[in-house]
Amino acid sequence: MIKSYLKLMRVQSLPLTVCIIGAGFMLEKGTLMDLSFIPLAVSGSLGHLGFYTMNEIMDVEWDIEMYKTDKPLVSGEVSMKTAVEICFSLVLGSVILAVLSFPLDSFIIYLFSCLLGALYNARSKRDTLSSLYLGL
């Protein structure tokens, strides 16, 4: 069961996200030895897991049509209700940590990136230009 939840959140891609966050942080601060990296990495990781879960939720009908029976929502290993609860909890946790930890200008940029992620998730299978949302 744990494996299904990890697959739903696409946890296998989390290390890359943390590396990207770390690289950006190092460009700004010149080091990772600053404690402000911790809430940034945790908030970014929660957001990563939450938005990948959202992507699975939004794409479930498409995945059913494409016979992607290895997906936890398609196979029934994870219920839609549970997936929505996981998504909501992760994204909310990410936003709360961000609002408590980030300066206002950084938080606004973070919220904008969340909006673009949600827009991508909602439109990715219907809009050929949806990948542009991620590139902004």
Side-chain angles (χ1 to χ4, degrees), residues 50-119:
F51 279 98
Y52 269 121
T53 302
M54 182 189 296
N55 184 266
E56 292 292 321
I57 291 166
M58 301 293 234
D59 287 352
V60 71
E61 294 301 323
W62 174 267
D63 292 340
I64 290 169
E65 288 177 26
M66 296 294 116
Y67 302 103
K68 293 186 176 183
T69 56
D70 61 324
K71 301 271 192 156
L73 286 174
V74 175
S75 68
E77 295 170 34
V78 177
S79 72
M80 181 61 77
K81 179 181 182 285
T82 300
V84 169
E85 290 169 351
I86 289 170
C87 175
F88 180 77
S89 299
L90 290 167
V91 171
L92 181 63
S94 176
V95 170
I96 289 171
L97 186 56
V99 79
L100 295 175
S101 305
F102 299 176
L104 181 60
D105 56 346
S106 297
F107 179 70
I108 291 169
I109 292 168
Y110 177 78
L111 282 182
F112 183 67
S113 70
C114 288
L115 175 67
L116 290 175
L119 189 59

